[in-house]
Amino acid sequence: MHAIERKPRLAVVSPFLDKSHGTERRVSEWISGVADHFEIHVYSQRIADIDPAKIIWHKIPKLPGPHLLNYIWWLFANHAWRAWDRRFRGICADVIFSPGINCLDADVISVHIVFAEYAAKLAHSAKPGANRISPRTLHRKLYYGLISILERRIYSDPDKTLILIARKTDRELTRHFNRQTPSSVIYLGLDHSVFNRQRRAALREVARRELGYGPEKFVLLLIGNHWANKGLPVLLRAIASIRDLPVDVLAVGKDDPGEYTKAIEANGLKGRVQFKPP
């Protein structure tokens, strides 16, 4: 008898997957697109917005407490879960895929941010003489420091296949880790059934009214986390240079708006910048 051929087995390692966050939505869309061609095993603490019939979910418990502690737990736990599956369930992945630094043995990694670059930008933008470190800032420094160490170990390995979403990331990898191996760039797509002129026009008036903007205002919308990396400090200085024009800024994300209070006041933009959670 001939053995039954199975689909190639893909292990996806990510703390969570949904369609409410940028990187996680991208991975969720990729999974949906290749589900007919792969047997997909997702090792994750939480998933949403994915057809459960298309994947096999291996749920890993989440450790309560600070994000750094859960991240350390997650690194060890997903290795342990996959080792158990290999040893006792015979589930051996043909390809291990990770969005970012989630495990040490990934074959393919998609890189959406280089934390070594981001941490360097934060250190450069820190105000001279700012010696007071809040618990939040300390937690962030420790987390970014750990990620940067892991990035150096993993991204400098020429045998790792990296998938980028911007050519800029390739330059950062070369600068920080001297990575010379060429990486593929896969640019993000656009769902025209969601993003189109007709839908924008239908939603525009109500959305502006709910956010408190009159028809005379021109609003720049910045959506995403890591605002410093997204260019918010530069944007504030740019708006300050044309402050006589009716241009406002609305930033949406999970960063701490308090970090930009002084910059807003110094640039004379009080009342011109709003911050909203996702």
Side-chain angles (χ1 to χ4, degrees):
M1 293 180 64
H2 293 287
I4 299 176
E5 291 189 7
R6 64 170 177 82
K7 297 177 182 178
R9 188 171 287 148
L10 172 66
V12 178
V13 183
S14 178
F16 69 94
L17 289 177
D18 59 26
K19 293 188 179 181
S20 299
H21 299 78
T23 297
E24 289 72 28
R25 176 168 190 141
R26 172 166 50 85
V27 175
S28 298
E29 297 287 2
W30 284 356
I31 288 175
S32 300
V34 302
D36 292 337
H37 307 286
F38 287 86
E39 176 185 311
I40 302 175
H41 294 257
V42 177
Y43 292 84
S44 183
Q45 295 177 326
R46 175 175 63 85
I47 62 171
D49 309 320
I50 300 177
D51 184 352
K54 293 186 174 183
I55 65 167
I56 301 170
W57 180 25
H58 304 261
K59 185 176 181 179
I60 298 176
K62 183 176 181 179
L63 189 70
H67 177 68
L68 175 61
L69 294 182
N70 180 62
Y71 177 73
I72 295 172
W73 152 254
W74 158 252
L75 280 178
F76 286 101
N78 80 69
H79 277 274
W81 254 251
R82 289 184 290 117
W84 175 274
D85 284 345
R86 285 194 304 270
R87 178 69 177 82
F88 297 104
R89 302 179 63 192
I91 301 175
C92 299
D94 298 303
V95 178
I96 301 173
F97 167 71
S98 169
I101 305 293
N102 292 300
C103 56
L104 304 180
D105 58 344
D107 302 299
V108 181
I109 305 169
S110 64
V111 184
H112 62 285
I113 181 175
V114 177
F115 278 94
E117 174 76 10
Y118 184 56
K121 286 182 178 179
L122 290 179
H124 179 72
S125 63
K127 299 294 186 296
N131 297 321
R132 185 183 176 187
I133 299 179
S134 67
R136 180 189 180 96
T137 303
L138 177 61
H139 177 273
R140 184 175 63 185
K141 284 180 176 293
L142 292 173
Y143 175 65
Y144 290 166
L146 174 59
I147 292 285
S148 297
I149 291 172
L150 294 174
E151 283 182 334
R152 180 166 298 279
R153 171 176 175 176
I154 294 172
Y155 292 161
S156 60
D157 183 352
D159 292 330
K160 297 292 186 184
T161 299
L162 304 186
I163 299 173
L164 316 181
I165 61 172
R167 185 57 62 192
K168 165 180 171 287
T169 310
D170 201 14
R171 297 192 293 270
E172 294 172 356
L173 291 168
T174 302
R175 180 164 57 251
H176 288 280
F177 312 121
N178 195 32
R179 182 178 172 89
Q180 303 297 326
T181 307
S183 300
S184 300
V185 178
I186 300 178
Y187 295 104
L188 302 183
L190 190 64
D191 185 347
H192 289 283
S193 66
V194 176
F195 299 97
N196 57 71
R197 288 185 175 184
Q198 293 75 20
R199 192 162 186 262
R200 175 176 64 87
L203 297 173
R204 178 183 176 85
E205 184 177 348
V206 174
R208 288 178 67 92
R209 186 167 61 247
E210 289 178 350
L211 293 168
Y213 292 112
E216 76 285 354
K217 285 288 186 180
F218 186 97
V219 185
L220 283 170
L221 182 60
L222 176 66
I223 301 178
N225 298 318
H226 310 296
W227 287 333
N229 198 49
K230 296 289 193 298
L232 181 56
V234 178
L235 178 59
L236 294 178
R237 293 196 296 272
I239 297 299
S241 70
I242 55 170
R243 65 167 61 91
D244 293 336
L245 298 178
V247 180
D248 282 16
V249 175
L250 174 58
V252 180
K254 294 183 178 180
D255 289 32
D256 181 9
E259 297 181 6
Y260 298 92
T261 301
K262 290 184 178 179
I264 291 171
E265 293 176 352
N267 287 295
L269 297 176
K270 194 171 182 179
R272 303 276 296 273
V273 182
Q274 278 199 75
F275 297 98
K276 295 287 186 181

